[in-house]
Amino acid sequence: MKNLRAKIAQQTLKLLKLRKWKTISIDNICKNLKISKKEISKNIKNKNDLLKNINQYFDDCMMVEIKSLEKSSSRDMIFEIFMLRFDLLTNYRVSVLKIFTIFKKNPNKFIILLPSFITSIEKIAKASNIKTVNIIGRMKIKVLLLIYFATFLTWAKDENTSLDKTMTVLDNYLKRAENIIKFFK
């Protein structure tokens, strides 16, 4: 199913590049992939599930790429993994920015996906050897989530392929967060 989920995410992103979100349906995706609706109905029941699936797709791609990163400090790993994720998003920039527009127009969609985003951040924290089990750990997840979304806002405007602005903003946010965490320790 993982391979099918990846194909569904890729097809959704492909369609989203060409069309508006409201014109995309599960039926379109099934037709383009030449699969029955029944084949995907176990995991994809509605358009919100399509958005969750896209986030999961980026998580899966990110987790594959993380294996090639050289181990370093938690802070450096967070930086590298966040930038890796932004690089993945850049491959689908037009589609991702359309999804962002969906969230701006309908914040409820964002709220529905928030647990999925938290899971993504938890995966990043784990890959960075950040403990998240106690109160401080849960606070770190929330701070990383805020940093990710604040940096995303810069990424959305950063049209330079090197993502220099995104990297600078991310580095600054991580420095500030590190100081806050030190304060609470």
Side-chain angles (χ1 to χ4, degrees):
M1 183 59 189
K2 196 173 191 178
N3 192 25
L4 178 59
R5 288 179 72 100
K7 288 179 183 178
I8 293 166
Q10 291 166 346
Q11 185 61 46
T12 306
L13 290 163
K14 183 179 176 183
L15 286 173
L16 195 52
K17 183 177 182 181
L18 304 171
R19 298 163 50 181
K20 293 182 179 185
W21 176 248
K22 63 183 176 182
T23 67
I24 295 172
S25 70
I26 294 173
D27 290 335
N28 299 137
I29 292 161
C30 290
K31 182 180 176 186
N32 287 339
L33 290 176
K34 296 180 174 82
I35 59 173
S36 71
K37 198 170 180 180
K38 185 178 179 181
E39 285 181 76
I40 66 169
S41 65
K42 289 180 184 175
N43 294 298
I44 310 289
K45 294 177 180 25
N46 56 46
K47 288 177 76 170
N48 290 336
D49 288 342
L50 288 175
L51 293 173
K52 290 175 189 174
N53 188 54
I54 289 169
N55 189 60
Q56 180 64 48
Y57 170 71
F58 285 125
D59 281 352
D60 293 344
C61 293
M62 177 186 70
M63 295 309 290
V64 168
E65 294 293 322
I66 284 173
K67 293 174 186 173
S68 66
L69 293 178
E70 188 175 315
K71 299 293 181 207
S72 58
S73 71
S74 292
R75 184 199 179 285
D76 289 345
M77 288 298 293
I78 290 287
F79 180 86
E80 291 298 325
I81 296 170
F82 272 13
M83 286 310 302
L84 189 149
R85 189 170 177 99
F86 286 121
D87 286 339
L88 291 169
L89 295 179
T90 299
N91 295 332
Y92 297 96
R93 183 175 190 77
V94 171
S95 301
V96 171
L97 291 176
K98 284 186 180 181
I99 292 169
F100 178 53
T101 301
I102 295 166
F103 293 154
K104 288 193 301 188
K105 289 180 179 178
N106 188 350
N108 289 336
K109 294 270 187 221
F110 178 78
I111 300 299
I112 290 168
L113 285 172
L114 193 54
S116 182
F117 289 128
I118 291 170
T119 299
S120 299
I121 296 300
E122 288 170 340
K123 289 177 183 180
I124 292 168
K126 183 177 180 182
S128 302
N129 293 319
I130 294 175
K131 293 181 175 104
T132 61
V133 292
N134 57 19
I135 293 172
I136 298 291
R138 297 314 300 166
M139 186 176 84
K140 288 177 184 178
I141 292 296
K142 290 177 175 109
V143 168
L144 288 173
L145 188 65
L146 289 172
I147 289 171
Y148 178 78
F149 287 126
T151 306
F152 178 89
L153 295 174
T154 299
W155 173 85
K157 296 175 187 169
D158 189 356
E159 295 183 9
N160 189 335
T161 55
S162 66
L163 298 178
D164 291 336
K165 292 176 189 173
T166 304
M167 282 192 282
T168 301
V169 166
L170 175 58
D171 191 50
N172 289 334
Y173 285 141
L174 288 173
K175 284 177 187 172
R176 289 181 200 160
E178 198 170 39
N179 291 334
I180 291 168
I181 297 294
K182 284 179 184 176
F183 173 78
F184 282 105
K185 282 185 175 179

